[in-house]
């Protein structure tokens, strides 16, 4: 049975990553752009989990269908976990990716060695009408380098080198990034959950 899943996002980069990772699972992925507009969910939770749950439940409730949302962030332990849950707006409410990277490199200017360790985390929430929301998290460990390198990807990709690699995420191909990303790891866990429960559910496609 084909399951229609609404990805609770309009972010094209994310949709592309999610749809690639969902290929072959028998899931028909839709985005918010395929549905009538609903008010934006304000992401003011104190954790990735709180934001992901809020988004997925709002979308699932609005359209009466399963909805998948994700909230991600970059965490630097030496900066007390910053940029963290506020990764998108680290350099201010209207900032862009470049401004966030400038601010991060500046904040880490005096840090070296293990103090440059960081990790990405993605928490995914899968909300089913009338059921308890399912949560899965994926992480990717690495370090923040001292300059931007590479043109692929988005966000903090040009300053993040995954542990065990010599390239930033922005120097990797989208395929290479997808194989190791925090988002793909969270999504792989969601896929396991879906595979295990899909047969049991009578979801209208
Ligand atoms: P979101 O919750 O996926 O929108 O992520 C929030 C912010 O975290 C983004 O605006 C980016 O700044 C950062 N971020 C999340 N995932 C990634 C990634 O895969 N690479 C680089 N930055 C990311």
């Amino acid at each position: 049975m084909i399951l229609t899943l609404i990805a609770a996002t309009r972010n094209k980069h994310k949709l592309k990553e999610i749809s690639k990772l969902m290929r072959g699972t028998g899931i028909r992925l839709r985005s918010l752009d395929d549905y009538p507009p609903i008010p934006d969910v304000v992401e003011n939770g104190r954790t990735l989990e709180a934001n992901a749950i809020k988004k997925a439940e709002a979308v699932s409730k609005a359209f009466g269908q399963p909805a998948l949302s994700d909230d991600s962030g970059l965490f630097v332990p030496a900066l007390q976990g910053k940029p963290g849950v506020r990764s998108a707006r680290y350099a201010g409410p209207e900032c862009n990716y470049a401004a966030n990277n400038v601010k991060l490199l500046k904040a880490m200017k005096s840090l070296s060695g293990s103090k440059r360790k960081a990790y990405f985390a993605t928490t995914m929430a899968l909300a089913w009408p009338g059921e308890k929301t399912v949560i899965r998290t994926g992480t990717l460990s690495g370090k923040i380098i001292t300059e931007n390198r590479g043109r692929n990807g988005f966000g903090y990709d040009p300053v993040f080198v995954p542990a065990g690699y010599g390239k930033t995420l922005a120097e990797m191909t989208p395929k290479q990034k997808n194989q190791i990303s925090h988002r793909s790891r969270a999504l792989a866990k969601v896929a396991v959950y879906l595979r295990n429960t899909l047969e049991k559910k009578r979801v209208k496609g």
Side-chain angles (χ1 to χ4, degrees):
M1 173 167 296
I2 289 182
L3 172 79
T4 296
L5 189 61
I6 311 172
T9 183
R10 294 181 200 281
N11 180 321
K12 298 267 185 285
H13 294 289
K14 269 200 254 172
L15 277 172
K16 224 168 144 181
E17 283 189 10
I18 295 172
S19 65
K20 268 191 192 151
L21 291 160
M22 283 278 176
R23 237 176 247 164
T25 60
I27 284 158
R28 187 193 298 141
L29 193 70
R30 294 283 178 261
S31 92
L32 277 182
D33 288 332
D34 299 316
Y35 292 82
I38 54 168
D40 278 343
V41 171
V42 183
E43 293 183 36
N44 56 2
R46 290 180 58 192
T47 60
L48 298 180
E49 186 173 326
N51 283 335
I53 291 173
K54 196 174 172 191
K55 271 188 281 184
E57 290 185 351
V59 172
S60 176
K61 202 170 164 200
F63 303 116
Q65 278 189 325
L68 179 69
S69 78
D70 73 287
D71 200 34
S72 307
L74 174 72
F75 296 78
V76 181
L79 298 179
Q80 291 76 46
K82 282 180 187 159
V85 73
R86 295 188 52 81
S87 287
R89 300 169 300 280
Y90 182 47
E94 302 298 326
C95 66
N96 58 20
Y97 295 143
N100 283 337
N101 285 331
V102 168
K103 179 168 177 180
L104 181 65
L105 295 188
K106 208 169 153 196
M108 297 185 69
K109 214 169 173 179
S110 63
L111 303 179
S112 60
S114 65
K115 292 245 164 65
R116 299 198 70 89
K117 280 187 178 174
Y119 65 93
F120 279 109
T122 293
T123 296
M124 294 208 155
L126 182 58
W128 296 82
E131 285 185 39
K132 194 172 184 311
T133 298
V134 173
I135 301 294
R136 295 290 185 271
T137 294
T139 59
L140 174 64
S141 300
K143 65 175 180 195
I144 303 299
I145 56 169
T146 54
E147 72 209 330
N148 285 265
R149 273 180 13 207
R151 305 179 68 85
N152 295 332
F154 69 100
Y156 299 94
D157 283 349
V159 296
F160 185 90
V161 173
Y165 291 81
K167 288 178 178 179
T168 65
L169 287 176
E171 291 174 311
M172 294 183 176
T173 62
K175 195 173 169 193
Q176 285 172 323
K177 180 183 169 185
N178 270 344
Q179 277 164 356
I180 58 167
S181 81
H182 44 302
R183 192 168 296 103
S184 71
R185 288 172 175 169
L187 202 52
K189 293 180 185 175
V190 171
V192 168
Y193 170 84
L194 285 170
R195 240 172 261 130
N196 289 342
T197 54
L198 211 53
E199 287 309 309
K200 296 182 208 150
K201 291 186 178 289
R202 289 279 165 264
V203 180
K204 231 180 157 188

